[in-house]
Amino acid sequence: SYVLTQPPSVSVAPGQTARITCGGNNIGSKRVHWYQQKPGQAPVLVVYDDADRPSGIPERFSGSNSGNAATLNISRVEAGDEADYYCQVWDNSGDHVVFGGGTKLTVL
Amino acid sequence: QLQLQESGPGLVKPSETLSLTCTVSGGSISSRGYYWGWIRQPPGKGLEWIGSIYYSGSPYYKPSLRSRVTMSADTSKNQFSLNLTSVTAADTALYYCARLRRQWLGDYYYYYYYMDVWGTGTTVTVSS
């Protein structure tokens, strides 16, 4: 079964850039999607297809995917960005959704 | 805009069946190109996909849950449902329903899916 690995936590100062990684075997051959989940709220899609943003998501959120790692970048981090972030792919070998374990972003 | 709302018992006894329904408003579950799914989140833990279904059938289930999960869709009510049998305390979680967008990855010749709209979630506790 396909496995996605995320760091449990990332900390960044306001105004800086947060980088959250998502590792997987040859993940560059898949499309990666990212969700933001604030405390007590449902997840929200913030990046899909590696690097595209849904309507209403700030340009500060961007993504990349190559080789064995995908990355979610959040530039000019704000206090309101503090949340858990999950990466997700479709495992076509088993026909199922796979989530990463999640990364807690702390804004210092 | 599209909204999804989960409903069902908040408390289920061990060994019984957990049944949840997701009611969709502002759009049709018969829309082409979209699947409908269930995701859960145990207290303090991460997201776990349970399964997804098209309006006409063709479900996908998480392999480790496949023997206990059944999903169905009712186009007349614009709803889809989850049944999870033989529940234990490990099934205690916040359950979300979601819409999945289906896209074609031409380079590798397969469809892939991601969740673009989520419900607010409903808590289910398994306890006697």
Side-chain angles (χ1 to χ4, degrees), chain A residues 18-86:
Chain A
R19 293 181 176 82
I20 299 173
T21 57
C22 177
N25 184 37
N26 197 27
I27 194 174
S29 68
K30 300 180 180 300
R31 293 293 179 264
V32 180
H33 321 289
W34 293 90
Y35 305 88
Q36 174 195 68
Q37 186 180 33
K38 296 182 179 180
Q41 297 184 20
V44 173
L45 180 70
V46 292
V47 167
Y48 67 96
D49 287 357
D50 297 339
D52 290 336
R53 283 184 311 279
S55 173
I57 301 300
E59 292 183 5
R60 300 186 298 105
F61 289 81
S62 63
S64 62
N65 183 20
S66 178
N68 292 314
T71 303
L72 174 68
N73 297 289
I74 309 172
S75 61
R76 302 184 300 281
V77 165
E78 305 170 355
D81 297 329
E82 198 163 89
D84 293 325
Y85 291 85
Y86 296 89

Side-chain angles (χ1 to χ4, degrees), chain A residues 79-101:
Chain A
D81 297 329
E82 198 163 89
D84 293 325
Y85 291 85
Y86 296 89
C87 59
Q88 176 254 309
V89 300
W90 175 257
D91 179 3
N92 61 298
S93 65
D95 282 341
H96 58 271
V97 168
V98 179
F99 284 107

